[in-house]
Amino acid sequence: MSLKSISYEDLSSNFDEVEAGLSNREALEEANRCLYCYDAPCIQACPTGIDIPTFIKKIASGNLKGSAKTIMSANPVGASCSRVCPTEELCEGACVLNHATKPIMIGNLQRYATDWAMKNEQLLFTAGEKLGKSVAIVGGGPAGLSAARELALLGYDVTIFEAEEKAGGLNTYGIVSFRLPKAVSYWEVEQVKSLDVEIRTNTRVGQDISVKEIVDCYDAVLLAIGMAHVPSLGIPGEELAGVYDAIEFVKETKTKPITDTLLGKKVAVIGAGNTAIDAATCSVRLGAENVKILYRRTLEEMTAYDFEYEFAKQDGVEFRWLTAPTKLIGEKDKVVGIECMKMELGEPGEDGRRRPIPVEGSEFTLEVDAVIKAIGQSRYLDLIEAFEISHDGGVVTIDSETFQTTNAKIFACGDVIFGKGQGEAMVVSAAQQGKQSAYSIHQLLVPTMETV
Amino acid sequence: MADLSINLAGIKSPNPFWLASAPPTNSGYQVQRAFEAGWGGAVWKTLGEPIINTSSRFAAISFNGQRVAGFNNIELITDRPLEVNLKEIYETKKRFPNHAIIASLMVEPQQEKWHEIVKKVEDVGVDGLELNFGCPHGMAERGMGAASGQVPALVEKQTYWVKEMAQTPVIVKLTPNITDITATAEAAVQGGADAISMINTINSLAGVDIHSWNTIPHVAGKGAHGGYCGPAVKPIALHMVGECARNPRINIPISGIGGVSNWENAIEFMLMGATGVQVCTAAMHHGFRIVEDMIEGLNNYLDEKGIASVNDLVGKAVHKYSDWGDLDLNYKVVARINNDVCINCNKCHIACEDTSHQCIDMLKDGEGNPILRVREEDCVGCNLCSIVCPVDGAIDMVELPNEFPPMTWNERQAAIGALACAVDTVK
Ligand SMILES: Cc1cc2nc3c(=O)[nH]c(=O)nc-3n(C[C@H](O)[C@H](O)[C@H](O)COP(=O)(O)OP(=O)(O)OC[C@H]3O[C@@H](n4cnc5c(N)ncnc54)[C@H](O)[C@@H]3O)c2cc1C
Ligand SMILES: Cc1cc2nc3c(=O)[nH]c(=O)nc-3n(C[C@H](O)[C@H](O)[C@H](O)COP(=O)(O)O)c2cc1C
Ligand code: SF4
């Protein structure tokens, strides 16, 4: 990855997409390097099962529209995925050329084809013949959009209820612009909209429209609300100014003009997942002088992907392992320090990861100007309860085959079912679950029809 | 969605992509798989008196690491009993009534042999016949294939015999192993052919192993010439299709064959006069699945150009293909190097310096950076530099305005002739 250096004069330029797309020639050469394997392992490794050799062959033959269509038909958010998927662990990790030379740059080729479609304003699909059945989708993130696309192709009247001003979920608001520009997410939303899908933005279910109305007025409901804000750390000082929720923090950089609030400042990010990395690299790009990630376990247990870790290191982010905050110290209601404790790893816990145990007397204090909390996301408990479906601490209970909840007409997929050992919080898995939920809904509503 | 269906001399198929008579169409199982994958038609592996094929048959040319730039084979016609093939043709046609199945035939040059086989294959429901006058090896030594196909009189006579019997359209498949393919194409027309197809494979020897000194391929240490096909032969095939298409005496449809590997190649053949194309090597390299991109790519191309039917492409470039004597001698292009795009590999310089007209200078710009510049007054517009240039857009061949009106060689000779005449009369 070639990173350009951070600008302190023009902070907003730091938020331009980091990685340049492939040039025509690079794409052609790389596409021709692909072996076009039969029954290729990369297809198996893609959670959405994109026919990778075919889309690459189509780049080589100059059929870019067909290439984009092959990608997007398997994955309605395939343009975003080309940028944010951990490809080393998925398709590229499975490429047979890992054993011969070096793997094909599948993600970059996927981006090349979808960029072409975006630039040439292609509409790739047309809605299916109407079946006269309606489905309400709560949440317009990757999971909801993906389900909506499949249902629209099958001929359903689909309405997406989206709390925010724009659909796209975390692709629009959560993943930093220098990895995933908003325009990419908007294009995917447009592709879905063009199939006659109604997207009612600024409509928070449970607030702007009742749960009862949704459940009563539609033939089926899909809950794809994702997860909520970052939970509290449970230590003193969280209310101080300068303490941020990572998701909100990133969202600001995607929705508001870039400010110089962090210019030259010291930032501590707490947690070591995707969100922590994004918050940390965002801070670097906002001009922070020093950015530290504090994590109570080690590199081994960290949930961020290798590529994210590498990316953060290249951005100069410092990692402090086995470090847990115990107290935020304020001066005049503003955070100025963070008291921490060293940890050591004990026996593995329920999730298989070794549990951190505080080392007595190891307290120390770090000077900070800002603290960003990135210790995961909480759940929309009230809303889930309002739907009267079973859940385990906000992780909605589903039939793992059908994504059906304990209410037969309500299905759930995406981050809302992630956790407690179930699934993975990835855009690509949300997309796949969206497709599968759509097929299950189809099975429920039109059982005589062939499944896809 | 454009209309991709074609009608080649009465043989209809849902798209212009057929499999050529070769290993991919060896059996019912294969042809049915091909139709499932989307191929519009298939010319069955050539039927005739069953023969024995050798073990070790194929070889290919890799070019700079790209596999199968060219493909070579010493395989003969089908080695399966005729009855088995006939049964499978019948079953396949029944399962796929809307796809084209053409029987490729090769028998000894005797009237009754041709009559006999034509009757048999038509009885099982083929949509057309293709006479294999092209196989360049093995069968030719027995007086069939290219041995017949190189003699216009034999082409005409055998075509005529087939036409005496045939109820379905007859395609004559021509060999490229001949100086002027229009001679045999015309003979086919004279014999009553409904269409011609070209090209079969080109005589070749794929290589010699520099360690064992064996030919490639070899059969127990001995080799024989084979037939060459695949991407490398496309320019030769395209030329032959073009020559036949622009010849007014060859006024029957053409099925284009030779190196077709993707939808763009197919469009080229159709623009140059082919009604449809046949494919062998590309399918052998990648499997039947390649047809999906061929169909989709062709359709997207037609949609983008606003062309309703693939048939509207046929022959559209033929009028642009002419004789050297009709080219405008006063037309001039020169190379222009875009230094902002150029990566300074100097390949164009050395190509021009050593092997063309010494007109690309290696200079320094104001800041002392190396730049390349064409002396346009010395450039003959040969295209070599732009051919060797590895970067898209670094060298443009630009048209220069010309103070002289267009003048072809033929026009020039005519003018000189007229002048000579005028001088004569004065004298
Ligand atoms: C900072 C960050 C970085 C990430 N980086 C990556 C990455 O690099 N690669 C990767 O694969 N994954 C990454 N992820 C994870 C990925 O974004 C999620 O797994 C994915 O977005 C889940 O999709 P979803 O549709 O289930 O939920 P979401 O994307 O959260 O979408 C849920 C939608 O529901 C809406 N909603 C919520 N409540 C209501 C309501 N009551 N009424 C109406 N609408 C409602 C929300 O506004 C939102 O639009 C990252 C996540 C974060 C937070
Ligand atoms: C292995 C092999 C066997 C072939 N056998 C036949 C044959 O039996 N009859 C025939 O008409 N052509 C035969 N051909 C020629 C092909 O039909 C076709 O004309 C030629 O390969 C050019 O097309 P391509 O460049 O797409 O391969 C054969 C070609 C190959 C490679
Ligand atoms: S392709 Fe390989 S395995 Fe198949 S017949 Fe030929 S040599 Fe044998």
Side-chain angles (χ1 to χ4, degrees):
Chain A
M1 206 181 292
S2 58
L3 298 185
K4 64 181 173 79
S5 56
I6 308 284
S7 162
Y8 295 100
E9 284 75 50
D10 179 10
L11 293 176
S12 50
S13 73
N14 298 333
F15 288 80
D16 296 343
E17 193 162 15
V18 191
E19 222 182 320
L22 296 178
S23 69
N24 293 340
R25 193 168 190 93
E26 279 174 313
L28 195 64
E29 284 178 7
E30 189 65 2
N32 277 303
R33 206 165 66 79
C34 169
L35 301 180
Y36 193 45
C37 301
Y38 176 70
D39 196 12
C42 53
I43 305 178
Q44 317 288 335
C46 171
T48 57
I50 295 176
D51 187 344
I52 293 160
T54 294
F55 96 67
I56 294 180
K57 181 90 181 156
K58 289 178 182 179
I59 293 176
S61 88
N63 175 14
L64 288 169
K65 182 173 182 181
S67 180
K69 205 168 162 178
T70 299
I71 295 162
M72 299 299 289
S73 69
N75 183 342
V77 290
S80 293
C81 278
S82 75
R83 294 164 161 86
V84 304
C85 271
T87 50
E88 294 87 344
E89 304 182 22
L90 301 173
C91 51
E92 291 174 16
C95 176
V96 298
L97 288 177
N98 279 299
H99 311 293
T101 53
K102 55 184 191 325
I104 298 295
M105 295 189 262
I106 298 170
N108 287 341
L109 286 172
Q110 183 169 324
R111 173 171 162 192
Y112 179 80
T114 48
D115 275 355
W116 180 90
M118 232 178 295
K119 209 169 75 208
N120 292 281
E121 296 175 0
Q122 298 285 326
L123 284 181
L124 301 171
F125 303 97
T126 43
E129 241 171 80
K130 289 277 183 252
L131 295 169
K133 304 246 176 199
S134 63
V135 180
I137 296 181
V138 187
L145 287 172
S146 173
R149 210 285 303 272
E150 290 307 271
L151 287 166
L153 291 184
L154 289 167
Y156 288 88
D157 295 311
V158 183
T159 310
I160 296 180
F161 296 89
E162 170 52 57
E164 297 289 342
E165 193 192 329
K166 298 272 187 185
L170 290 171
N171 286 0
T172 298
Y173 295 111
I175 303 180
V176 287
S177 356
F178 45 90
R179 291 204 292 129
L180 179 58
K182 271 185 300 188
V184 177
S185 183
Y186 291 167
W187 179 72
E188 288 166 337
V189 172
E190 279 311 309
Q191 291 287 320
V192 174
K193 247 194 189 156
S194 74
L195 302 174
D196 258 0
V197 170
E198 192 192 344
I199 304 186
R200 285 167 61 179
T201 50
N202 291 317
T203 310
R204 185 171 289 279
V205 172
Q207 191 173 308
D208 303 313
I209 179 168
S210 75
V211 167
K212 182 169 174 354
E213 190 178 339
I214 299 263
V215 177
D216 290 349
C217 299
Y218 292 86
D219 296 316
V221 178
L222 178 65
L223 199 58
I225 51 175
M227 295 186 282
H229 53 81
V230 178
S232 95
L233 297 167
I235 57 173
E238 274 186 76
E239 70 298 336
L240 292 167
V243 180
Y244 304 92
D245 166 321
I247 310 257
E248 282 302 317
F249 176 78
V250 172
K251 185 173 169 189
E252 294 237 326
T253 68
K254 288 194 96 172
T255 50
K256 298 201 178 132
I258 299 297
T259 67
D260 60 3
T261 336
L262 287 189
L263 191 62
K265 298 286 165 66
K266 295 188 186 66
V267 179
V269 179
I270 299 166
N274 312 129
T275 316
I277 301 279
D278 273 13
T281 51
C282 243
S283 305
V284 171
R285 268 141 232 279
L286 287 168
E289 178 223 300
N290 179 281
V291 181
K292 289 184 183 67
I293 282 187
L294 314 183
Y295 184 45
R296 59 198 179 123
R297 308 184 206 229
T298 72
L299 179 58
E300 295 280 296
E301 292 81 23
M302 173 183 80
T303 53
Y305 301 114
D306 281 351
F307 81 89
E308 291 178 312
Y309 176 55
E310 287 306 319
F311 182 72
K313 279 201 302 190
Q314 283 189 52
D315 258 8
V317 173
E318 289 174 27
F319 285 79
R320 295 290 176 89
W321 309 114
L322 295 169
T323 302
T326 47
K327 189 167 144 197
L328 304 180
I329 303 160
E331 245 172 46
K332 298 197 199 115
D333 292 339
K334 221 196 135 310
V335 68
V336 293
I338 177 165
E339 191 185 279
C340 304
M341 223 174 169
K342 291 306 278 180
M343 297 287 187
E344 61 188 14
L345 291 181
E347 291 303 306
E350 241 173 58
D351 58 357
R353 297 193 298 175
R354 291 175 65 191
R355 244 186 247 274
I357 304 165
V359 177
E360 240 169 278
S362 66
E363 290 86 352
F364 64 100
T365 304
L366 292 169
E367 225 179 87
V368 294
D369 303 303
V371 172
I372 304 174
K373 304 181 288 179
I375 54 163
Q377 284 173 268
S378 56
R379 310 286 172 159
Y380 294 112
L381 272 177
D382 294 348
L383 186 64
I384 294 167
E385 300 256 303
F387 273 101
E388 298 176 348
I389 50 180
S390 295
H391 65 91
D392 176 2
V395 179
V396 172
T397 313
I398 46 140
D399 174 323
S400 60
E401 297 272 302
T402 62
F403 296 87
Q404 201 163 30
T405 66
T406 45
N407 176 337
K409 75 182 282 194
I410 304 177
F411 294 74
C413 66
D415 279 0
V416 76
I417 61 161
F418 160 74
K420 313 274 175 193
Q422 181 170 276
E424 258 193 277
M426 280 197 295
V427 176
V428 68
S429 31
Q432 179 59 14
Q433 292 169 7
K435 279 161 62 189
Q436 288 170 308
S437 309
Y439 307 149
S440 298
I441 289 171
H442 186 42
Q443 198 55 295
L444 176 80
L445 298 183
V446 193
T448 48
M449 291 189 76
E450 235 179 285
T451 45
V452 183
Chain B
M1 177 90 197
D3 179 11
L4 298 188
S5 67
I6 62 162
N7 180 340
L8 188 137
I11 306 172
K12 294 190 184 120
S13 73
N15 63 54
F17 302 104
W18 295 359
L19 284 170
S21 173
T25 59
N26 208 34
S27 65
Y29 170 77
Q30 290 167 282
V31 173
Q32 290 178 31
R33 271 175 74 85
F35 287 165
E36 277 162 11
W39 292 88
V43 186
W44 210 273
K45 173 74 185 170
T46 303
L47 307 174
E49 280 297 307
I51 47 74
I52 299 169
N53 269 313
T54 57
S55 181
S56 180
R57 302 178 193 179
F58 309 151
I61 305 301
S62 294
F63 189 72
N64 291 347
Q66 282 286 347
R67 298 202 170 230
V68 199
F71 193 82
N72 174 271
N73 84 89
I74 54 169
E75 177 178 292
L76 308 186
I77 63 171
T78 186
D79 45 21
R80 307 163 78 228
L82 184 62
E83 289 63 43
V84 175
N85 279 309
L86 291 175
K87 182 169 158 278
E88 292 179 6
I89 291 173
Y90 174 77
E91 285 162 359
T92 308
K93 187 66 211 173
K94 220 166 84 183
R95 247 194 91 195
F96 294 91
N98 299 323
H99 288 63
I101 300 183
I102 293 97
S104 169
L105 306 175
M106 184 195 289
V107 292
E108 282 167 51
Q110 292 167 23
Q111 189 181 23
E112 60 278 17
K113 297 247 170 176
W114 280 110
H115 282 185
E116 194 185 321
I117 197 154
V118 167
K119 170 121 193 21
K120 281 189 177 156
V121 297
E122 288 197 337
D123 279 350
V124 294
V126 296
D127 300 292
L129 311 171
E130 187 181 78
L131 314 186
N132 180 350
F133 294 151
C135 184
H137 42 260
M139 303 312 288
E141 290 161 29
R142 306 170 199 190
M144 293 178 265
S148 297
Q150 285 162 336
V151 184
L154 281 175
V155 170
E156 180 178 339
K157 192 154 72 182
Q158 296 186 85
T159 307
Y160 184 78
W161 288 336
V162 170
K163 282 299 289 180
E164 285 177 330
M165 186 58 138
Q167 307 288 315
T168 60
V170 175
I171 307 169
V172 172
K173 184 169 180 180
L174 301 173
T175 175
N177 299 309
I178 183 166
T179 314
D180 178 4
I181 199 159
T182 62
T184 44
E186 270 195 68
V189 175
Q190 293 300 321
D194 300 290
I196 44 178
S197 57
M198 70 199 71
I199 58 176
N200 209 309
T201 53
I202 304 172
N203 285 338
S204 63
L205 171 58
V208 179
D209 185 312
I210 61 168
H211 303 294
S212 66
W213 303 357
N214 274 332
T215 60
I216 302 173
H218 73 91
V219 178
K222 270 226 175 88
H225 85 266
Y228 199 45
C229 53
V233 311
K234 194 198 93 189
I236 299 169
L238 201 52
H239 150 72
M240 292 184 167
V241 168
E243 289 302 327
C244 290
R246 74 192 183 93
N247 185 320
R249 289 185 300 280
I250 305 169
N251 51 5
I252 52 177
I254 301 170
S255 177
I257 320 170
V260 177
S261 308
N262 56 39
W263 58 275
E264 287 182 326
N265 298 158
I267 292 171
E268 290 178 86
F269 273 86
M270 295 187 80
L271 289 172
M272 205 33 89
T275 300
V277 294
Q278 299 184 29
V279 177
C280 166
T281 303
M284 291 182 74
H285 191 180
H286 301 296
F288 295 144
R289 61 204 164 122
I290 56 169
V291 77
E292 192 234 334
D293 176 41
M294 291 178 154
I295 292 170
E296 187 184 62
L298 174 62
N299 179 58
N300 288 346
Y301 168 87
L302 293 171
D303 283 353
E304 215 167 274
K305 293 243 180 297
I307 300 171
S309 158
V310 68
N311 299 297
D312 297 338
L313 292 177
V314 177
K316 285 295 173 346
V318 172
H319 70 281
K320 292 176 179 271
Y321 191 52
S322 178
D323 290 321
W324 194 92
D326 293 329
L327 307 182
D328 177 9
L329 298 175
N330 286 334
Y331 176 77
K332 189 157 168 60
V333 290
V334 294
R336 225 167 256 170
I337 296 171
N338 303 313
N339 279 296
D340 44 339
V341 181
C342 169
I343 57 172
N344 290 93
C345 68
N346 301 329
K347 300 248 346 160
C348 58
H349 166 82
I350 201 62
C352 186
E353 195 70 12
D354 284 356
T355 70
S356 196
H357 288 74
Q358 301 77 45
C359 49
I360 301 182
D361 293 331
M362 295 174 68
L363 306 168
K364 294 258 190 282
D365 69 7
E367 275 121 52
N369 301 313
I371 56 162
L372 292 152
R373 189 178 298 141
V374 178
R375 285 195 319 282
E376 292 184 7
E377 61 279 19
D378 294 330
C379 171
V380 300
C382 72
N383 293 345
L384 179 64
C385 52
S386 69
I387 290 168
V388 302
C389 177
V391 179
D392 296 330
I395 303 185
D396 292 325
M397 298 303 301
V398 292
E399 195 178 319
L400 292 189
N402 203 313
E403 61 262 45
F404 303 110
M407 154 93 77
T408 68
W409 168 259
N410 290 339
E411 286 163 352
R412 185 169 175 275
Q413 292 308 97
I416 293 171
L419 204 58
C421 281
V423 173
D424 278 350
T425 37
V426 170
K427 202 172 101 188

